Amino acid sequence: MSCQRFWCGLVAVLALWAFTACAQGTAEEELKVQVLSKPGVCEFESATGDKIQVKYVGRFTNGTIFDQSAEGKPFEFRLGAGQVIMGWDKGLNRMCAGERRRLTIPSHLAYGEKGAGGVIPPGATLVFEVELIQIPDKALLGSEEPERRPRPDPDAARPEDIKELVKQTLVRPQSCSQVAKVGDSVSVHYMGQLTNLKTFDSSLSRDEPFVFTLGEGQVIPGWDQGIVGMCVGESRRLIIPPDLAYGASGVGDVIPPNAVLIFSVQLLKIN
């Protein structure tokens, strides 16, 4: 089996094991990120939802290599979508193309107490040297610096005058291989704000994507309508009127009655 095939199988199949191990892990060990080299000019930084291509070497703490990327063929995955171990999703964020990092990953952010077959023993700390080759899906709409926080449209009407759902694309990948449709189980990161920009909820603060089935009433109608048609890797701003959110009732002390809500939503994957 080639290194590339090994890694794909190892990472994709056991990502759920790694997530479970992380949830049960302690705070005794932390991810260590060491920058080995960085280009003089950093045109783009990696961010959650980006498709990135890397070369890597994986070692145990005694220096023994257990895996590495195939020669001449970078490994490609979407950052923050759970396609790799959590130590990678965390440790390769905000990395420049051409940058090299060493990640020392404790077991609860790797393969935990289960290990990985006969290759990675239980409780193993892993050391990866990773080079970010390119970020192929970093094409944006008219902006080099994507706006990833929701802000009200300065040209919009007053909040009380917003009666229809407003959808604004913030970031869209170059290629769109998958589009969200009704009935899909989707994983997203989001941040919700009131029109005064007060944040009332965020999956990013919990560092845990939110998973739901689109179009089945598991979320507010503004989400069911606003996320349909999104590409994997796309970010949208949704400005949602009260009748498509929580209406005249609001939600306790968190969301007042008749509130217009602003959400920044990033589609990580379609499960």
Side-chain angles (χ1 to χ4, degrees), residues 6-7 58-60 64-68 119-120 126-128:
F6 165 77
W7 178 255
R59 293 182 172 90
F60 297 118
T64 301
I65 295 176
F66 62 85
D67 188 29
Q68 57 187 323
V119 180
I120 297 176
L126 306 179
V127 181
F128 286 93

Side-chain angles (χ1 to χ4, degrees), residues 205-220:
S205 64
R206 296 187 293 273
D207 199 20
E208 181 179 344
F210 176 60
V211 180
F212 70 100
T213 300
L214 194 57
E216 294 193 356
Q218 298 177 2
V219 291
I220 58 176

Side-chain angles (χ1 to χ4, degrees), residues 6-7 10 29-36 55-69 85 87-88 91-92 100-111 119-121 123-131:
F6 165 77
W7 178 255
L10 188 62
E29 295 182 275
E30 296 182 353
L31 171 69
K32 296 178 182 178
V33 180
Q34 178 184 359
V35 176
L36 302 178
K55 291 183 178 179
Y56 66 91
V57 177
R59 293 182 172 90
F60 297 118
T61 53
N62 65 4
T64 301
I65 295 176
F66 62 85
D67 188 29
Q68 57 187 323
S69 53
I85 57 177
W88 271 42
L92 302 182
R100 293 176 60 246
R101 290 183 180 180
R102 178 181 293 122
L103 309 181
T104 303
I105 305 176
S107 63
H108 68 277
L109 295 178
Y111 297 100
V119 180
I120 297 176
T125 294
L126 306 179
V127 181
F128 286 93
E129 291 185 5
V130 184
E131 179 182 3

